[in-house]
Amino acid sequence: MAEQALEGLHRVAPDLVRMHEMDALEPDEELNLLALWLLLDGVRVLVHRPRVRALVRAAGPHRRLPPVPPRLADPAGGCAVAGTWILKAPSHMEQLRPLLSVFPDATVIQTHRDAAVTSVSLTSLTCYGVRAYFDHPNPLVMGQSISAAVERLLHALDRDRADGDGRFFDIHFAELMRDPIGLVHRLYAARGRAYERGRGGDARVPGAHPRAKHGAHDYAAADFGIDLAERRRALAFYHQRFGVQEEAGS
């Protein structure tokens, strides 16, 4: 079923693989699972109807999720690694308090990048990806919506993340690109766990997933009505707190 869904998506949006590579047998964001209970932030971003947005806001935090079916919770099923769930959806930034109350032993890996440039990249990805659902997505409306969502999520993170909380592990984009496997070793060591080599060994991972493997993801802020200088001013609270460096952007 996953293979059929991806095949259909790639027929509608063939260049999506340049922006976000997906495979039926590889881990990915748990967006479909969250969408079942209206915890997916993308619903608010894509559907510009006040009643729908209000419904999503009222859906409640993570504690209201029903039990995960055993066949999904089984580590052998690919949804968990060594008995540990790995969650990746950006929506969790707005739900840190309930998430950490339900999972107090969680480790939060916080990745950092110039949020203004990230807003443009995410808008490009979203605007292209929604071609599966909309005949004529409006890039200017999408730019405004994604920019507002990124700012809201980062404010929630800034509000709910306490300084000195040892459950958080910060990773900066340049560092990740420079030495991804080294970061994995450091993460495990920081949590007092022994790192076990993945399938095919450490050396396989960076070589198997280079950037622009399927072609470059080209985008420009002006295409979506995004003013990078204005966005950096609005997001300065985040950049300053976590020492995020500005990137060259168009």
Side-chain angles (χ1 to χ4, degrees):
M1 290 177 64
E3 289 173 346
Q4 291 174 356
L6 283 177
E7 182 181 350
L9 178 61
H10 288 148
R11 278 201 304 269
V12 175
D15 288 336
L16 186 62
V17 69
R18 297 185 181 185
M19 311 173 193
H20 184 81
E21 182 180 5
M22 291 177 283
D23 187 282
L25 299 179
E26 294 291 340
D28 207 277
E29 295 174 355
E30 64 282 6
L31 302 182
N32 291 333
L33 185 63
L34 293 176
L36 292 175
W37 297 286
L38 290 180
L39 292 178
L40 178 60
D41 190 71
V43 176
R44 265 192 284 179
V45 172
L46 300 179
V47 182
H48 300 277
R49 296 291 183 273
R51 290 181 60 187
V52 173
R53 291 186 172 193
L55 181 62
V56 174
R57 283 197 300 271
H62 294 75
R63 69 183 69 224
R64 298 183 185 175
L65 283 172
V68 177
R71 62 187 177 87
L72 291 181
D74 179 6
C79 294
V81 177
T84 300
W85 278 85
I86 300 176
L87 308 177
K88 183 175 179 282
S91 305
H92 297 302
M93 285 192 288
E94 201 172 27
Q95 298 284 355
L96 279 180
R97 289 177 180 173
L99 182 69
L100 293 176
S101 68
V102 175
F103 303 106
D105 60 342
T107 294
V108 181
I109 303 171
Q110 180 64 46
T111 55
H112 300 286
R113 188 177 182 183
D114 184 334
V117 172
T118 301
S119 298
V120 182
S121 175
L122 182 57
T123 301
S124 175
L125 169 64
T126 306
C127 201
Y128 186 78
V130 298
R131 289 177 13 153
Y133 313 103
F134 298 98
D135 292 331
H136 303 288
N138 188 321
L140 301 181
V141 171
M142 198 69 70
Q144 182 181 30
S145 185
I146 292 291
S147 294
V150 169
E151 184 174 348
R152 188 187 71 249
L153 290 172
L154 290 176
H155 270 299
L157 170 73
D158 184 55
R159 177 195 67 212
D160 294 337
R161 177 177 169 177
D163 291 332
D165 189 334
R167 291 174 293 186
F168 287 80
F169 187 89
D170 294 292
I171 294 177
H172 287 262
F173 182 70
E175 186 180 20
L176 176 63
M177 292 296 98
R178 185 169 59 248
D179 185 18
I181 297 302
L183 275 174
V184 173
H185 282 272
R186 282 176 44 205
L187 171 62
Y188 272 72
R191 296 299 171 262
R193 299 178 59 182
Y195 174 70
E196 298 178 3
R197 293 166 64 91
R199 291 176 298 174
D202 290 351
R204 171 184 174 276
V205 179
H209 300 282
R211 296 190 71 189
K213 175 182 176 181
H214 299 282
H217 175 198
D218 296 323
Y219 49 86
D223 294 340
F224 309 101
I226 297 176
D227 183 334
L228 285 177
E230 182 277 329
R231 283 292 81 205
R232 289 196 173 108
R233 289 193 296 271
L235 300 169
F237 70 95
Y238 161 72
H239 292 155
Q240 292 170 5
R241 178 177 177 182
F242 296 103
V244 179
Q245 300 296 316
E246 291 187 6
E247 296 178 33
S250 58

